[in-house]
Structures are given as structure tokens and as C-alpha cells.
Amino acid sequence: MIALIIAMAATLLSVAAAQATPKAGGILRVAITGDPPGLDSAVTTSAITAEINNHITEMLYAFDGDGIVRPMLAAALPDISADGLTYTIRLRAGVMFHDGSLLDSGDVKASLERWHRLSYGKTVLKNLVAIDTPDELTVVIRLSAPVGILTSALGFDNYASGIYTAEQLAGAGDDPIAVPIGTGPYRLKEWIRGQSVVLERFPEYSARSEEPSGDAGRKNAWLDEIHFISVPDAATRQGGLESGEYDVNYRAAGEDYEFIESSSKMWPWMPPVGYNYTLLLNFNSPLIQNLKLRQAIQATLDMDAIALGAFGNEALYDLNPGVLPPGFGGMYTDAGKELYDQRNPELGRKLLEESGYDGTPIRWITTRDFSYQYAGTLIAVDQLEAIGLKSEIIVRDWATTVETRSKPDAWEIFVGNQISGPEPEMIAIINPGWVNAYDGSPEFADLMAELRVTADPVKRAELWAQAQEAYYEDVGSVRVSDTFLLVAYSSRVHVQARYIAFQAWNTWIE
């Protein structure tokens, strides 16, 4: 199924790209699911935040269409010392920020140090000794132990290491940045809370010279403006696309897939690599800290019923036990598969009894802004109530749900899509420091610690297979499926290149 979806997505993309010659101008109106919780992708893993912010800020590196890391703000891939402890990164000269200042090593140092304090950098740069700036266009990262995935992490847009001006970071401190100043092909024009985020072309953008590929290479800002318009209701987004009010339905409903595919007025696109649709467990909660209770949840649930109810079409999800999606290639494993999708409520009832559960309701946080989150929550709650687990469903808008999820004592379970990555260290929910507060069993933690300093790909695959099996035994989360979110475009819109996220550079409109 996955190969078919990838081939279908590639075919649709190439057909759409081939039907017109790029032209400049126009406004792209993107109907999104709700107001983003922020525009600082270093401090939230919200997909819509990352997908808007990617137009504004850039990183040192980026992934091309084949999933290979390429330089972006860096002039080339880093020079890495033989012992793996020193990365020397040379920057491109003449790259301008949206405030008119030029990129230098001080901006990169300040950005990476903030990323190290607040974000995914806490994990990746755990062994950081110092970041040095021997001259204006050279950055040297010194480590006390090797990091197998550092270059990839500096180009990955989940908890992104976006580069801001040092001046802006000095003003913001460790608070979220509300008005990001980056080097990207579009700059923020205005953000009307609850209504829209408007980006405009940055005329002085410093594009790379290589051909566009995925997130890498030249970024052509064909569009004058991009309007991300908050439209929480899925039917309204789709109706607006069909009427011409919007050009993109950022999250189309799964039940509309066949209609969109057969229409001459629109076309569908699904990212070639799926999200990890999962029950995220909050380990700050004493209820979730009970292993037998977690095992009861994992044993009971029928994953096909949850995924089908949430996404409405079998083409939009894939049932497999891999915490890393098979679409990323080499690190996929089915280790621990006997504990995935057990559909065994009798065992779940037995484990719940052994857990000593006292009937305290499990608090589920969810939103109707994303129908798949809400529907999946209702189905999972229904299945678990059948074994005696009581629930309280807390429904809020998306921004409030994200805010609630950041409060350690406010929830037990959140059902939603988690961003995956090509390496285990890039998946926030299985690494320390994220909102779910999962540090892992001693066995899992030891295996991940060894993985983080291992560069050999064969050894890494062996370690990850053992770690995934330990993860299932510890029930670090309850995985449902890979999912392929549906984006619907007007036939007037053409996309030249992209990777796995929504983007509107290298996009033009008739």
C-alpha cells in the first residue's frame, strides 16, 4: 500500500508540475484547520507552526527529495574531525535576514545555543562542550562524545533549529518568538489571531543555485503572498475549495478522497512519509506511570477500527508496528510486533484488574479542529470503557489543546499525529525532554543512550530493533498506524518540488 501511495503522490505531483510554466504573482489562499499555537517552531511540534515557519526561517541544512541532507544556510556539509567530536561549518556569505541584516556566525551560535536550551537540541547536543565562532562565517561545534545524527538534526523541521538574528534572540530570551525574523523566501506580513497568517515575498531572498529538490536547492518565491486562513470546519474548507474561495484545503477529510481524485477542478496530495498516529501517554500522571494500566490499554485496542474511523479511507493509513515509518527506509523494524494491535479486550480487562485501577477517570484532551483527533479519541475511549476504564474527554480548540498538553498535570492521553523522522533520535515522543515526559525503562534508556553515540548503520539498526521491542514492552506510547494526511489543491495550483511537509515556495498559481 505504501509503495502505491508514494507512486501515486509522485505521479500526481509530476502531472501537476508539468501542466504549466511557472509564473510569478498571485495570492495563494490556504484554508488551515485553526489558528497556529505559535510561529516559533523551536518550542512546539505543532505541524502547522512548522509548515508556516518553514517559509520564514531556514536551517543550516535541508533534506532533498530523496531524503538526503544538503546544505542550506551552510555553504557545504560540515567538516567533521576524525574522532567525531568537532564539526566545522562554513556559512554562505551575503545571506540577508528580513530586517536587512546579514547572516553571520554570531546569529548561528545564538540560535543553536537557544535550540540547545529549549528544544530538541537538549537531546542532540547533550554532549555539547562549546560553540565557537573563529570568524564571521565559520561556526565550530565541539562535543565530548560523538553524535551520529547531528548534521541531519540541523536540517530536520521537527523542533527545528531555525536560524534567527542574535539581536532578536537577545530580546526574546527563552520566551516564544511571536514575530520571527528569518532568511526564508517569505516574511511575516501580519498575523491576526484566530483569523489568518499572511506571508509576503521577501524580495532580497538569497536563493541557492542548485535545482529545487524536496526542501533543498533553490527556493522560488513565485507567489506574491500566502494567506493561511483559519477554517476549523472540514466541510467548510472543502466547500471553499470547490467554490474557489480557497486554493488549498490543508487538511481534507478522508471521505472526500475519491471525489477529489476524480474531479477536474482539484487534485489530492499525500505526504510520501506518514505521521505516527498514536495515543500519546503523559508520564507525569501517576495513572500513566502504572505499567499494568498501560499494558491494558495496549492489549485492548483495535487499531484498524480507530484508524478507519478517524481517517475514513483505507488509502490514508497503514497498519504496521514500526515506530519509524517504513517509508524512511533502513531503520524500519517490526520488532515487538506481537504487542501491536492485539485486539484482546479479555487480556486488557485482566491487566487492568492487576493494575489496581481505582476508577479515576483518564483525562483525554482533544479538539474538533482536527476531525481525526476527535474521532480517534471517541473510538478509543469507547473500546476502553468496555474493559472498565473510565474517561473524561476535554474538548478545546487546537491552540488551547496544545497549551493544555504542555501542562504536566492537566491530562493523561492525547490522540494525534506525531511527526516521525528517519532516525529514532529525531522522534520527540521517544526521547527525553518532550511534553509526554517519557524517559523510558532502564533497558530502553540504555539502548537509546548507546544508539546516540553510534554511527555505524548496521549496528544502529540492531540497537534500534532491540530498543523498539523494549519500547513496546514498556508501552512508551500506544501506536495506532502510519497516516497520510490529505491535502487538496485547486487545479490552478502547481507545485514544482517538496519533501514531506506542506510548502508554498516552488509553487505557482494560474
Side-chain angles (χ1 to χ4, degrees):
M1 177 186 296
I2 291 171
L4 175 62
I5 291 170
I6 292 174
M8 184 183 301
T11 300
L12 291 170
L13 184 58
S14 63
V15 168
Q19 286 177 337
T21 301
K23 71 169 190 176
I27 296 173
L28 187 75
R29 300 157 300 174
V30 185
I32 59 176
T33 50
D35 203 34
L39 295 181
D40 184 351
S41 57
V43 297
T44 175
T45 56
S46 166
I48 186 59
T49 295
E51 288 170 322
I52 294 175
N53 185 277
N54 287 348
H55 296 78
I56 302 171
T57 66
E58 297 180 300
M59 292 177 280
L60 294 173
Y61 303 101
F63 284 81
D64 71 12
D66 295 321
I68 298 172
V69 180
R70 304 292 186 187
M72 180 50 68
L73 292 177
L77 294 177
D79 294 328
I80 306 173
S81 63
D83 59 8
L85 300 181
T86 303
Y87 285 61
T88 301
I89 301 170
R90 294 178 174 80
L91 307 177
R92 293 162 57 203
V95 175
M96 184 178 288
F97 282 101
H98 298 162
D99 65 356
S101 62
L102 293 178
L103 170 75
D104 64 27
S105 56
D107 300 315
V108 175
K109 173 181 169 68
S111 299
L112 295 186
E113 287 179 342
R114 180 176 185 264
W115 185 64
H116 177 230
R117 288 196 308 275
L118 303 182
S119 188
Y120 178 44
K122 286 188 285 190
T123 298
V124 177
L125 292 178
K126 182 178 179 180
N127 300 313
L128 177 68
V129 173
I131 299 175
D132 301 326
T133 55
D135 61 51
E136 288 191 346
L137 293 176
T138 302
V139 177
V140 178
I141 300 174
R142 292 189 287 121
L143 307 167
S144 61
V147 179
I149 63 162
L150 180 55
T151 307
S152 298
L154 294 175
F156 191 56
D157 62 4
N158 184 23
Y159 266 155
S161 55
I163 305 301
Y164 299 91
T165 67
E167 181 180 1
Q168 178 174 31
L169 296 176
D174 289 346
D175 293 331
I177 294 173
V179 184
I181 298 171
T183 60
Y186 289 90
R187 62 189 175 193
L188 181 64
K189 181 177 180 180
E190 66 175 353
W191 178 13
I192 304 174
R193 299 285 180 132
Q195 297 183 33
S196 64
V197 178
V198 177
L199 310 183
E200 63 181 359
R201 180 192 298 121
F202 178 44
E204 288 78 30
Y205 175 64
S206 305
R208 296 194 67 90
S209 60
E210 300 93 337
E211 286 298 309
S213 175
D215 288 345
R218 186 173 62 254
K219 296 178 179 177
N220 296 301
W222 302 111
L223 301 162
D224 291 337
E225 293 187 354
I226 307 164
H227 294 193
F228 293 95
I229 305 165
S230 178
V231 186
D233 182 69
T236 304
R237 290 195 302 274
Q238 182 60 26
L241 177 66
E242 294 173 19
S243 71
E245 182 178 2
Y246 310 125
D247 304 302
V248 182
N249 179 356
Y250 167 78
R251 290 286 182 265
E255 53 266 32
D256 292 328
Y257 173 76
E258 293 179 1
F259 171 70
I260 295 166
E261 187 183 36
S262 63
S263 172
S264 62
K265 296 182 179 179
M266 61 195 85
W267 55 279
W269 179 74
M270 290 183 290
V273 174
Y275 286 84
N276 186 352
Y277 188 56
T278 191
L279 275 64
L280 186 68
L281 308 177
N282 178 11
F283 282 81
N284 291 300
S285 165
L287 283 169
I288 295 302
Q289 291 167 11
N290 186 322
L291 174 60
K292 288 287 186 181
L293 185 144
R294 302 198 302 274
Q295 291 173 333
I297 296 171
Q298 182 171 256
T300 301
L301 295 175
D302 179 339
M303 304 311 179
D304 192 39
I306 296 172
L308 183 59
F311 295 95
N313 191 310
E314 293 181 348
L316 300 178
Y317 67 89
D318 182 66
L319 298 177
N320 70 75
V323 176
L324 272 72
F328 276 127
M331 292 292 278
Y332 170 78
T333 175
D334 66 359
K337 62 183 179 182
E338 65 278 4
L339 297 177
Y340 168 71
D341 196 17
Q342 298 173 67
R343 311 183 190 189
N344 190 342
E346 182 177 346
L347 175 60
R349 197 174 291 107
K350 177 176 179 292
L351 289 166
L352 188 64
E353 183 177 343
E354 291 175 2
S355 76
Y357 175 61
D358 63 1
T360 302
I362 297 287
R363 294 167 298 173
W364 302 65
I365 55 171
T366 189
T367 176
R368 290 189 176 90
D369 292 355
F370 294 92
S371 59
Y372 62 89
Q373 292 184 12
Y374 185 65
T377 299
L378 296 185
I379 297 167
V381 165
D382 184 62
Q383 292 183 11
L384 292 172
E385 284 187 346
I387 67 166
L389 196 71
K390 298 184 182 303
S391 295
E392 174 189 0
I393 302 176
I394 303 170
V395 185
R396 299 289 186 270
D397 61 54
W398 176 231
T400 305
T401 299
V402 172
E403 181 182 355
T404 304
R405 197 176 58 182
S406 69
K407 298 176 180 176
D409 59 352
W411 60 286
E412 270 79 40
I413 299 179
F414 165 76
V415 182
N417 280 329
Q418 304 300 324
I419 297 176
S420 296
E423 303 287 354
E425 298 98 313
M426 294 181 175
I427 300 177
I429 67 172
I430 67 173
N431 285 283
W434 205 53
V435 295
N436 55 331
Y438 181 65
D439 294 327
S441 66
E443 181 183 5
F444 179 75
D446 288 346
L447 288 163
M448 289 296 289
E450 187 175 355
L451 189 66
R452 290 186 187 102
V453 296
T454 301
D456 178 72
V458 174
K459 179 62 176 174
R460 285 181 57 80
E462 293 173 357
L463 285 169
W464 170 239
Q466 296 174 51
Q468 180 171 294
E469 188 165 2
Y471 187 74
Y472 268 102
E473 290 170 352
D474 193 42
V475 198
S477 65
V478 182
R479 173 176 162 75
V480 178
S481 66
D482 285 332
T483 64
F484 308 97
L485 297 181
L486 177 60
V487 182
Y489 287 82
S490 162
S491 56
R492 299 169 58 235
V493 180
H494 302 267
V495 181
Q496 188 176 21
R498 64 177 152 203
Y499 185 39
I500 60 174
F502 174 81
Q503 67 185 48
W505 66 85
N506 295 329
T507 296
W508 69 97
I509 189 166
E510 294 177 15

